[in-house]
Structures are given as structure tokens and as C-alpha cells.
Amino acid sequence: NAEALRLTQSALALRPGDFGTLANYASVLMTVGRHEEALVHLDKALAIKADFFEALFNRGITLARLKRFAESVTCYDRALGQRPNSPQVFYNRGISQAALGWWKDAVASYDKAIALQPGFAPAFANRGNALRAMGQHQAALESYDKALALAPGDFHALHNRATLLS
């Protein structure tokens, strides 16, 4: 990580106004946990190219890591404007919506992720969590079961299913 940081800093020094270089540097900052700095560089990249999907997606992730969930949802929505069929963006949007207690919205996001990628086990597991929070226990169990059919060793799906049954 230190080497990646050094190399991207060097690239940024050579091309400080290049949106791709700014976004790459931000990605490295994200991996080393420097989220506030990553956000600054993602914003700089988006100021140059407002529709840059990777920067929008990573900005959503960064905002979520900073627990700025409503802002992350908005950012994921912008990313979906660029790539409306991205299961990962719908999944991440669902995570932020769930963190806000927007359970129905989270289920809808997970459903869209699953429709786009039917084998998306984590989406089924998180969908189960949202359904459980809404009191829809049977639907939650079915969602956990689908997650476990796809990923039998998924600790979180196993744990959450067991918790629901207890």
C-alpha cells in the first residue's frame, strides 16, 4: 500500500489535473483508510468530469465509510445514471439505505441487484436483514436460504438466519 501510494502521488504530481489520476489516487487513499483525503480527490476528479462512473461509485463508498449515508445514496444514484445496470451499485446503495433505516428502499435496491446478478449471495443476505427489520420474518428466512444456497459458508447469513429462528 505504501508503494502504491508513493507511485500514485508521483503520477498525480506529473498530471495534477487529470481526472483519472485523481480518481486512482483517491482509490489508493481509500485502501489505506484515508477517506477524507480520498473524498477531496474524488471531488476534484468529478469537478473535471462530472459523469465519471468510477469516481461516483468510489465517492459513494467513501461517503458510506464516513457514515454519511444519505449523501452516499445520492452519489450511488448519480452513478446509476451512468450505468443503470450495475448490480454492485444497487447493492451498495441498499447498504446505505439500510444504515438509514430505509428498509423498503434497501429491499428494492437489493432486489434490483439480484435481478441483474441472480447469484449475488450478499445481496440476498442483506435483503434478509432488511426484511427482518421490517418484521417480514418468513421472507427474511427465504432470502437467507437463497444466500446460503449460493454461499453455504457465509457466516453472516448463517448467523442472521440462526438469530431470526431463536
Side-chain angles (χ1 to χ4, degrees):
N1 287 344
E3 180 68 5
L5 192 57
R6 186 187 66 74
L7 291 171
T8 54
Q9 283 172 327
S10 296
L12 190 58
L14 294 172
R15 292 193 177 168
D18 180 73
F19 66 88
T21 305
L22 286 161
N24 287 341
Y25 184 54
S27 293
V28 174
L29 289 169
M30 289 169 64
T31 63
V32 297
R34 292 167 54 182
H35 304 300
E36 292 286 352
E37 286 178 75
L39 192 59
V40 168
H41 287 83
L42 289 166
D43 287 344
K44 287 180 182 179
L46 289 166
I48 297 166
K49 185 172 170 75
D51 63 349
F52 186 28
F53 172 80
E54 289 78 8
L56 289 167
F57 181 60
N58 283 339
R59 187 173 190 275
I61 292 169
T62 301
L63 288 165
R65 289 182 180 162
L66 293 168
K67 301 197 182 317
R68 293 166 56 181
F69 298 111
E71 291 175 79
S72 73
V73 170
T74 300
C75 207
Y76 292 135
D77 288 342
R78 286 181 59 200
L80 288 168
Q82 300 306 310
R83 292 196 191 156
N85 294 319
S86 174
Q88 192 64 47
V89 177
F90 279 106
Y91 173 74
N92 284 36
R93 183 174 73 167
I95 292 170
S96 289
Q97 290 166 325
L100 291 164
W102 301 352
W103 305 117
K104 287 182 183 180
D105 293 330
V107 169
S109 289
Y110 296 135
D111 284 345
K112 185 66 175 175
I114 291 164
L116 293 166
Q117 186 178 326
F120 202 159
F124 279 109
N126 282 1
R127 181 180 183 273
N129 295 339
L131 290 165
R132 183 178 76 189
M134 293 168 44
Q136 297 181 21
H137 295 159
Q138 186 56 43
L141 283 173
E142 291 169 7
S143 202
Y144 292 140
D145 288 343
K146 288 178 184 175
L148 291 167
L150 293 164
D154 183 315
F155 170 80
H156 295 291
L158 285 166
H159 174 76
N160 291 332
R161 187 179 194 287
T163 301
L164 182 60
L165 290 172
S166 62

